[in-house]
Amino acid sequence: MIKEKLYPAIFKRKSVRRFQQEKLDEETLRELMENTTKLTSLDSNIKTEFKLMDSGSVKGLLSIKAPHYLLFFSEDKEGHLINAGFLMQQMDLLLSSLGIGACWLGLAKPTDKKLKSSGMPFVISLALGKPSEPAHRESRSEFKRKKLSEIFQGEKYASLMEAVRLAPSGTNSQPWYFVEKDNVIHAFCSKKGKIKALLYERMNQIDMGIALCHLWVAAIHDGMQIDFFRASLTEEEIPKNYTYTYSAKILEGGE
Ligand SMILES: Cc1cc2nc3c(=O)[nH]c(=O)nc-3n(C[C@H](O)[C@H](O)[C@H](O)COP(=O)(O)O)c2cc1C
C-alpha cells in the first residue's frame, strides 16, 4: 500500500512550479493512475474521479506550464471539498516521494471539452511532471509556516500536529486551528469577511482536507488509527472567529 511512502514526503515536499516539458513515461503515468484507485477517502459516500490530462488541456489565470495535469472531479455533496483535499494531498505526497514535481492549481480549469469528460463537476487540479527546479526541501526551516502554538491547543498529539503544521494551503493561508480534547482532535477553519469568503471559502475547505490528510498519514506512521467524524460542539467549544469542520478520534494501537 502506498500509505507508508507518504509520511517522509511531508517533511520535504514543496510546490514545484517549473517543469521540463518532456512527458513522463507511459509506465509511470499508468502507475500513478492506478494509485488514484488505492487512496483512502474521508467520506466514501462521495463519488469522485481522477483524470490525467496533457498540457493544453488546462486554462486559467495562474495556470502553470506542465506536461501533465491531474484533474479531480467530485459529486457535489456536503463535505466534498474537504474530501477533495484529503484525497488529492495523498497524490501530492506520493508524487513528491517519487521525485515528480507537483503544484496545486486553485484557479486553473480544464478546457471545456475536458470539463465535460466526467459526469461530475470539476473541483481542482495538480500540475505535475519532471521538475526543473529542486523538488524537495532540505530542512524543516525552509517551510514558511505558522508556529505550532498558533494552530494547536493541546500537548499529547503535538508530534502528529507537527506534520499538520507543514501542510500546504492555497496562498499559504493556513486557515486551520486544532483543539485536542482527550483522544479527539477537533479541526476549525478561520472565518472570513464577505468579500474574502467569496475568494477563499472554497479553497479553505480543500485546505482543511489537506491538513486532515497530514494528520491521518502521521497517525498511521506512529502506529495509530484515526476515525473521522462530525461532532456536535457547543458554541463555547468553538474558538472565536473559527467555524467547526471535522473531528478525528485517535485510536492507539493501529490498524
Ligand atoms: C488548494 C490550493 C490551491 C493552490 N493554488 C495555487 C495556484 O493556483 N498557483 C500556485 O502557484 N500555487 C498554488 N498553490 C500552492 C500554494 O501556494 C503552496 O502550497 C503554499 O504557498 C505553500 O508552499 P509549498 O507548497 O511550497 O509548501 C495552491 C495550494 C493549495 C493547497
Side-chain angles (χ1 to χ4, degrees), residues 13 15 17 103-104 106 137 145 168-170 172 203 207 210:
R13 65 153 297 288
S15 294
R17 296 185 174 85
C103 187
W104 282 85
R137 292 186 163 107
R145 297 294 192 269
S169 51
N172 205 22
M203 195 100 90
D207 295 337
I210 295 174

